[in-house]
Amino acid sequence: MKKEFVVIGLGRFGGSIVRELVRLGADVLAIDTNQEKVDEFAKIATQAVIADTTDEDVIKSLGIRNFEHVIIAIGENIQNSILTTLILKDLGVKQITVKAQNDYHARVLEKIGADFVVHPERDMGIRIANNMMSSNVLDYLELSDEHSIMEIKANDQIAGYSLIDLDIRAKYGINIVGIKRGEAIIISPAADEKILLGDILLVIGADVDINRFVKKMMS
Amino acid sequence: MKKEFVVIGLGRFGGSIVRELVRLGADVLAIDTNQEKVDEFAKIATQAVIADTTDEDVIKSLGIRNFEHVIIAIGENIQNSILTTLILKDLGVKQITVKAQNDYHARVLEKIGADFVVHPERDMGIRIANNMMSSNVLDYLELSDEHSIMEIKANDQIAGYSLIDLDIRAKYGINIVGIKRGEAIIISPAADEKILLGDILLVIGADVDINRFVKKMMS
Ligand SMILES: Nc1ncnc2c1ncn2[C@@H]1O[C@H](COP(=O)(O)OP(=O)(O)OP(=O)(O)O)[C@@H](O)[C@H]1O
Ligand SMILES: Nc1ncnc2c1ncn2[C@@H]1O[C@H](COP(=O)(O)OP(=O)(O)OP(=O)(O)O)[C@@H](O)[C@H]1O
Ligand SMILES: [Ca+2]
Ligand SMILES: [Ca+2]
Ligand SMILES: [Ca+2]
Ligand SMILES: [Ca+2]
């Protein structure tokens, strides 16, 4: 059985979700009040319809309650976002993900029963700020408030050394779990693997420990 | 020396960058044409000024060319975004990051010399679509087009087994580089470590191999 989703609001965020879900093989019903948006997504989504989702009768007639997961990506119009969430929740939709514009909007959405509240612009801003601050940390996956996996670009201070030479695990309590070398990925590199200039190290550990290592490497 | 940034456009994306850069200890000059936005960020940024960055004289008088990195987070008004990029580039600003609204906008920005072009809504849409498609894959870090580190929630099909029991490396060519267990993170778990229900496995490998493992685990 295919996974079935409804995406309401076809701005940049909602539109991107539709494209990616379809690419991953899901069925997607795309909805917007705007004719142009709906025309654009008619070729992409499984189905695209013009509808105002703040109208309960409209939502009922579209059978939205039968879908596994509804994403509400209405932006500026916070009132429409909240009202749509309320109606879908009332109809018993199981999983509702809603885009929030600000903290106040997020609090209201959580109160009325949105299952996931997302902040795309805020979260991407945080990501990009972190990337800009440390030019050697290229990307990261946050594992907890205090732990991450980070992609760290090897500079000439560590190039030429093997993992055992650097002894990073003992010195910093962190671990190199992979190396990106051009197009290749070396998974769980051996202790005698030599680091080359431009290698991207995949490092797991506590943020403070990884940052200590990065600072040391840059000095 | 502190890192110094200019952020132009204090919407959700630009505003989030300002907050996070300041939190990370950077100096930030925040700029918007909108009085209310500037008032809001006067308490947060190192300095906040009302200015229209499509006016070259204004940009010169603010001394923007002396900053290390300028982020242009102007949204809807694509013309303002392009013109601001052009002026900053002309003045010789070293690193310019610009938010793009669509592919056409991105192409123009790259042509006129923007160093980094970012698509926050699009990229976060892709991330969230991927998270929604596989309920056991919680988050991921894309290492290349074909490799990732994924956070996979352990279900009752693998709970109770040790890593050596499962023999994942031999069977799937992937590796468990860490386990999130509640608040704790086990880095590079030993072969005899037993997986518990609800553990989050940090798995590195080719996407196809990780997906094979996830599908197998779900069956
Ligand atoms: N009641 C509604 N029913 C259906 N669609 C709606 C409704 N209200 C707004 N929309 C649509 O939601 C879409 C997204 O809204 P908007 O463009 O304001 O958000 P945004 O946060 O600026 O988007 P993004 O940053 O993702 O581009 C718009 O295309 C709009 O037409
Ligand atoms: N020429 C300019 N100089 C300075 N600031 C500008 C200029 N043009 C637009 N801005 C500001 O840029 C900010 C962001 O623009 P806008 O809100 O259109 O983008 P957006 O993509 O909807 O933002 P987000 O999705 O991040 O909330 C606005 O606060 C706007 O006042
Ligand atoms: Ca907008
Ligand atoms: Ca936006
Ligand atoms: Ca963190
Ligand atoms: Ca991929």
Side-chain angles (χ1 to χ4, degrees), chain A residues 129-202:
Chain A
N130 277 278
N131 289 351
M132 286 187 305
M133 275 299 275
S134 58
S135 47
N136 282 60
V137 178
L138 303 181
D139 206 351
Y140 65 95
L141 178 68
E142 191 163 67
L143 303 178
S144 73
D145 274 359
E146 281 148 29
H147 294 80
S148 303
I149 293 178
M150 297 192 196
E151 292 186 3
I152 296 170
K153 197 155 177 191
N155 63 7
D156 51 12
Q157 296 224 32
I158 59 168
Y161 293 99
S162 70
L163 300 186
I164 207 150
D165 291 338
L166 295 172
D167 200 18
I168 290 172
R169 174 135 203 188
K171 282 194 190 141
Y172 300 93
I174 62 181
N175 227 35
I176 296 179
V177 298
I179 298 176
K180 276 171 76 169
R181 182 170 294 162
E183 293 301 296
I185 312 265
I186 303 165
I187 294 179
S188 304
D192 62 354
E193 182 78 45
K194 261 207 173 57
I195 294 172
L196 305 183
L197 191 66
D199 274 0
I200 294 165
L201 310 179
L202 305 165

Side-chain angles (χ1 to χ4, degrees), chain A residues 47-150:
Chain A
Q47 206 187 338
V49 298
I50 303 177
D52 182 343
T53 55
T54 61
D55 182 334
E56 197 172 339
D57 297 331
V58 167
I59 289 197
K60 278 186 183 155
S61 73
L62 287 169
I64 293 183
R65 97 176 86 185
N66 301 317
F67 287 76
E68 282 169 58
H69 201 142
V70 179
I71 299 101
I72 304 171
I74 297 173
E76 325 279 288
N77 197 322
I78 291 183
Q79 198 178 317
N80 283 2
S81 160
I82 292 172
L83 194 51
T84 300
T85 306
L86 216 52
I87 294 173
L88 290 174
K89 190 73 197 170
D90 253 20
L91 286 175
V93 170
K94 256 179 272 151
Q95 292 236 299
I96 306 177
T97 294
V98 194
K99 166 178 168 160
Q101 297 296 92
N102 54 49
D103 290 345
Y104 164 75
H105 185 194
R107 274 215 303 282
V108 173
L109 292 172
E110 274 155 13
K111 272 237 161 83
I112 63 177
D115 301 286
F116 302 101
V117 175
V118 295
H119 300 255
E121 290 95 353
R122 187 195 67 188
D123 292 352
M124 204 46 94
I126 292 173
R127 253 190 126 68
I128 284 172
N130 277 278
N131 289 351
M132 286 187 305
M133 275 299 275
S134 58
S135 47
N136 282 60
V137 178
L138 303 181
D139 206 351
Y140 65 95
L141 178 68
E142 191 163 67
L143 303 178
S144 73
D145 274 359
E146 281 148 29
H147 294 80
S148 303
I149 293 178
M150 297 192 196

Side-chain angles (χ1 to χ4, degrees), chain B residues 1 20 36 38 41 44 50-52 59 69 85 89 94 107 109-110 116 124 145 154 162 164 175 177 183 194 206:
Chain B
M1 203 197 68
E20 183 69 3
E36 273 172 47
V38 172
F41 283 89
I44 298 161
I50 303 178
D52 182 341
I59 289 197
H69 202 142
T85 306
K89 191 71 196 171
K94 257 180 270 151
R107 273 215 303 283
L109 293 172
E110 274 156 12
F116 302 101
M124 203 48 93
D145 275 359
S162 69
I164 207 151
N175 227 35
V177 297
E183 293 301 296
K194 262 208 171 60

